[in-house]
Amino acid sequence: MENEKVFAMSFSKVYGLLIAKAERKGRSKSEVDEVTSWLTGYSVPQLDAFAGSELTYGNFFRQAPAMNPNREKITGVVCGIRVENIEDPLMREIRYLDKLVDELAKGKAMEKILRK
């Protein structure tokens, strides 16, 4: 199953790719950390620790301390699929982060990205 492959991927690998994407577009690691913390409730030191660990991407989301209730306001298309229509709850959480980083890379203001 394709979802299981994504869930089993290394958090550090995927997070590195998200940071690289943002940096290519002139954004920073600290901004990626900010949107990730907003979404999941993890602190920046926790994110840094996970970057050097064996944590899977699926477990990163499964163990998130405080998923932001405003995440359901995140809508749009990621990888050709509307995030609000993804049936698998864990995959939807993963795609929410993808969408936030996409918005960051496209130059959106942080206030809009964080649904303030």
Side-chain angles (χ1 to χ4, degrees):
M1 182 173 250
E2 192 65 31
N3 287 357
E4 292 304 318
K5 283 184 182 179
V6 173
F7 301 158
M9 292 176 72
S10 159
F11 169 78
S12 61
K13 179 180 179 179
V14 176
Y15 206 60
L17 294 171
L18 294 174
I19 292 167
K21 178 180 184 173
E23 288 177 340
R24 278 193 309 273
K25 299 294 185 169
R27 301 308 282 258
S28 67
K29 176 191 179 296
S30 65
E31 289 173 308
V32 175
D33 288 345
E34 184 177 350
V35 298
T36 305
S37 293
W38 175 87
L39 178 65
T40 63
Y42 288 116
S43 68
V44 173
Q46 287 175 307
L47 296 176
D48 290 339
F50 294 149
S53 75
E54 296 297 316
L55 182 69
T56 66
Y57 206 44
N59 284 339
F60 171 78
F61 284 95
R62 285 183 193 105
Q63 298 167 9
M67 292 300 290
N68 193 306
N70 285 338
R71 72 189 183 283
E72 294 177 2
K73 295 179 180 178
I74 301 169
T75 59
V77 178
V78 172
C79 299
I81 300 169
R82 295 203 68 75
V83 293
E84 61 270 26
N85 295 341
I86 296 173
E87 291 185 21
D88 184 308
L90 183 56
M91 183 55 75
R92 188 176 328 115
E93 304 294 357
I94 288 170
R95 294 302 182 196
Y96 282 151
L97 182 56
D98 290 343
K99 183 65 179 169
L100 293 175
V101 173
D102 281 353
E103 291 175 357
L104 190 64
K106 289 178 181 174
K108 263 193 167 180
M110 191 61 77
E111 296 77 34
K112 289 188 178 192
I113 295 170
L114 302 182
R115 300 342 195 229
K116 291 186 178 177

Short mmCIF file of all heavy atoms in Angstrom, two decimals, residues 1 6 14 18 29 34 40 48 50-51 56 63 65-66 69-70 72-73 77 82 88 94 101 104 107 110:
data_model
loop_
_atom_site.label_atom_id
_atom_site.label_comp_id
_atom_site.label_asym_id
_atom_site.label_seq_id
_atom_site.Cartn_x
_atom_site.Cartn_y
_atom_site.Cartn_z
N MET A 1 0.85 -1.18 0.00
CA MET A 1 0.00 0.00 0.00
C MET A 1 0.89 1.25 0.00
O MET A 1 1.86 1.34 0.75
CB MET A 1 -0.92 -0.04 1.22
CG MET A 1 -1.89 1.11 1.29
SD MET A 1 -3.07 0.89 2.62
CE MET A 1 -4.51 0.60 1.65
N VAL A 6 4.86 5.82 2.77
CA VAL A 6 5.05 7.19 3.27
C VAL A 6 5.14 7.18 4.79
O VAL A 6 6.02 7.83 5.37
CB VAL A 6 3.90 8.11 2.80
CG1 VAL A 6 3.99 9.49 3.44
CG2 VAL A 6 3.88 8.22 1.29
N VAL A 14 12.41 13.22 5.19
CA VAL A 14 11.31 14.01 4.66
C VAL A 14 11.41 15.47 5.11
O VAL A 14 11.23 16.39 4.31
CB VAL A 14 9.94 13.42 5.06
CG1 VAL A 14 8.79 14.29 4.58
CG2 VAL A 14 9.79 12.00 4.53
N LEU A 18 11.59 18.99 2.95
CA LEU A 18 10.68 20.14 3.11
C LEU A 18 11.47 21.43 3.33
O LEU A 18 11.15 22.47 2.76
CB LEU A 18 9.71 19.89 4.27
CG LEU A 18 8.69 18.77 4.08
CD1 LEU A 18 7.90 18.54 5.37
CD2 LEU A 18 7.77 19.05 2.92
N LYS A 29 14.67 27.61 7.32
CA LYS A 29 14.38 26.46 8.16
C LYS A 29 13.51 26.90 9.33
O LYS A 29 12.57 26.19 9.71
CB LYS A 29 15.66 25.81 8.67
CG LYS A 29 15.40 24.67 9.64
CD LYS A 29 16.68 24.22 10.32
CE LYS A 29 16.45 23.10 11.31
NZ LYS A 29 15.60 23.45 12.46
N GLU A 34 8.44 26.79 12.24
CA GLU A 34 7.28 27.51 12.77
C GLU A 34 5.97 26.89 12.30
O GLU A 34 5.06 26.66 13.10
CB GLU A 34 7.34 28.98 12.38
CG GLU A 34 6.22 29.81 12.97
CD GLU A 34 6.32 31.30 12.65
OE1 GLU A 34 7.36 31.74 12.11
OE2 GLU A 34 5.35 32.01 12.94
N THR A 40 1.61 20.74 14.59
CA THR A 40 1.73 19.52 15.41
C THR A 40 1.82 19.74 16.91
O THR A 40 1.56 18.82 17.69
CB THR A 40 2.98 18.74 15.00
OG1 THR A 40 4.14 19.54 15.26
CG2 THR A 40 2.91 18.32 13.54
N ASP A 48 14.30 19.46 16.12
CA ASP A 48 15.74 19.27 15.88
C ASP A 48 16.19 17.89 16.36
O ASP A 48 17.00 17.23 15.71
CB ASP A 48 16.54 20.37 16.57
CG ASP A 48 16.36 21.73 15.90
OD1 ASP A 48 15.96 21.78 14.71
OD2 ASP A 48 16.62 22.75 16.57
N PHE A 50 14.32 15.18 16.57
CA PHE A 50 13.76 14.17 15.66
C PHE A 50 14.56 14.09 14.37
O PHE A 50 14.65 13.03 13.76
CB PHE A 50 12.30 14.47 15.32
CG PHE A 50 11.35 14.37 16.48
CD1 PHE A 50 10.22 15.17 16.54
CD2 PHE A 50 11.57 13.49 17.54
CE1 PHE A 50 9.33 15.09 17.60
CE2 PHE A 50 10.70 13.39 18.60
CZ PHE A 50 9.57 14.20 18.64
N ALA A 51 15.15 15.21 13.96
CA ALA A 51 15.92 15.24 12.71
C ALA A 51 17.14 14.33 12.79
O ALA A 51 17.64 13.89 11.76
CB ALA A 51 16.34 16.67 12.37
N THR A 56 9.85 7.49 12.45
CA THR A 56 9.20 7.44 11.15
C THR A 56 8.28 8.63 10.97
O THR A 56 7.83 9.24 11.96
CB THR A 56 8.37 6.15 10.96
OG1 THR A 56 7.26 6.18 11.88
CG2 THR A 56 9.20 4.90 11.14
N GLN A 63 2.20 10.66 17.09
CA GLN A 63 2.59 11.04 18.45
C GLN A 63 2.56 12.56 18.68
O GLN A 63 2.97 13.03 19.74
CB GLN A 63 4.00 10.50 18.73
CG GLN A 63 4.07 9.00 18.68
CD GLN A 63 5.50 8.46 18.66
OE1 GLN A 63 6.47 9.20 18.85
NE2 GLN A 63 5.63 7.18 18.41
N PRO A 65 1.92 16.07 19.89
CA PRO A 65 1.32 16.42 21.18
C PRO A 65 0.03 17.24 21.11
O PRO A 65 -0.82 17.12 21.98
CB PRO A 65 2.42 17.21 21.89
CG PRO A 65 3.32 17.68 20.82
CD PRO A 65 3.22 16.69 19.70
N ALA A 66 -0.11 18.07 20.08
CA ALA A 66 -1.29 18.95 20.04
C ALA A 66 -1.54 19.40 18.60
O ALA A 66 -1.14 20.49 18.21
CB ALA A 66 -1.07 20.16 20.95
N PRO A 69 -6.26 22.72 15.99
CA PRO A 69 -7.65 22.57 15.52
C PRO A 69 -7.93 23.37 14.24
O PRO A 69 -8.83 23.01 13.48
CB PRO A 69 -8.50 23.05 16.69
CG PRO A 69 -7.58 23.82 17.58
CD PRO A 69 -6.19 23.32 17.31
N ASN A 70 -7.17 24.42 13.99
CA ASN A 70 -7.37 25.22 12.78
C ASN A 70 -6.80 24.55 11.53
O ASN A 70 -6.96 25.09 10.43
CB ASN A 70 -6.76 26.61 12.94
CG ASN A 70 -7.60 27.49 13.83
OD1 ASN A 70 -8.79 27.27 14.02
ND2 ASN A 70 -6.97 28.49 14.42
N GLU A 72 -7.93 22.20 9.97
CA GLU A 72 -9.01 21.84 9.06
C GLU A 72 -9.37 22.98 8.11
O GLU A 72 -10.10 22.78 7.16
CB GLU A 72 -10.21 21.36 9.86
CG GLU A 72 -9.90 20.05 10.58
CD GLU A 72 -11.01 19.54 11.47
OE1 GLU A 72 -12.08 20.18 11.52
OE2 GLU A 72 -10.80 18.50 12.11
N LYS A 73 -8.82 24.16 8.38
CA LYS A 73 -9.01 25.30 7.47
C LYS A 73 -8.05 25.23 6.28
O LYS A 73 -8.16 26.02 5.36
CB LYS A 73 -8.80 26.62 8.21
CG LYS A 73 -9.84 26.88 9.28
CD LYS A 73 -9.56 28.19 9.98
CE LYS A 73 -10.62 28.45 11.06
NZ LYS A 73 -10.32 29.71 11.78
N VAL A 77 -4.84 21.89 -3.20
CA VAL A 77 -4.32 20.70 -3.87
C VAL A 77 -2.85 20.50 -3.55
O VAL A 77 -2.05 21.44 -3.62
CB VAL A 77 -4.52 20.83 -5.40
CG1 VAL A 77 -3.94 19.64 -6.13
CG2 VAL A 77 -5.99 21.00 -5.74
N ARG A 82 -6.90 17.03 -3.52
CA ARG A 82 -7.40 18.03 -2.58
C ARG A 82 -7.22 17.50 -1.16
O ARG A 82 -7.73 16.42 -0.83
CB ARG A 82 -8.88 18.35 -2.84
CG ARG A 82 -9.10 19.00 -4.20
CD ARG A 82 -10.38 19.81 -4.27
NE ARG A 82 -10.37 21.00 -3.46
CZ ARG A 82 -9.71 22.14 -3.76
NH1 ARG A 82 -8.99 22.21 -4.83
NH2 ARG A 82 -9.79 23.19 -2.96
N ASP A 88 -7.87 8.95 4.44
CA ASP A 88 -7.02 8.42 5.51
C ASP A 88 -6.60 9.58 6.42
O ASP A 88 -5.90 10.50 5.98
CB ASP A 88 -5.79 7.74 4.91
CG ASP A 88 -4.92 7.08 5.97
OD1 ASP A 88 -4.55 7.77 6.94
OD2 ASP A 88 -4.59 5.89 5.80
N ILE A 94 -0.39 14.48 7.11
CA ILE A 94 0.88 14.60 6.39
C ILE A 94 0.74 15.61 5.26
O ILE A 94 1.60 16.47 5.06
CB ILE A 94 1.32 13.22 5.87
CG1 ILE A 94 1.80 12.36 7.05
CG2 ILE A 94 2.40 13.34 4.80
CD1 ILE A 94 2.04 10.90 6.71
N VAL A 101 3.99 23.97 3.70
CA VAL A 101 5.32 24.25 3.14
C VAL A 101 5.19 24.75 1.70
O VAL A 101 5.93 25.65 1.28
CB VAL A 101 6.24 23.03 3.25
CG1 VAL A 101 7.56 23.25 2.53
CG2 VAL A 101 6.50 22.70 4.73
N LEU A 104 4.34 28.34 1.99
CA LEU A 104 5.55 29.05 2.40
C LEU A 104 6.45 29.28 1.20
O LEU A 104 6.91 30.40 0.96
CB LEU A 104 6.26 28.22 3.48
CG LEU A 104 7.41 28.85 4.23
CD1 LEU A 104 6.94 30.03 5.05
CD2 LEU A 104 8.05 27.80 5.14
N GLY A 107 5.60 32.01 -1.17
CA GLY A 107 5.73 33.39 -0.71
C GLY A 107 4.57 33.95 0.08
O GLY A 107 4.52 35.15 0.33
N MET A 110 3.14 34.65 6.54
CA MET A 110 3.02 33.67 7.63
C MET A 110 1.65 33.75 8.30
O MET A 110 1.08 32.72 8.66
CB MET A 110 4.14 33.90 8.65
CG MET A 110 4.26 32.79 9.67
SD MET A 110 4.64 31.16 8.99
CE MET A 110 6.38 31.32 8.65
#
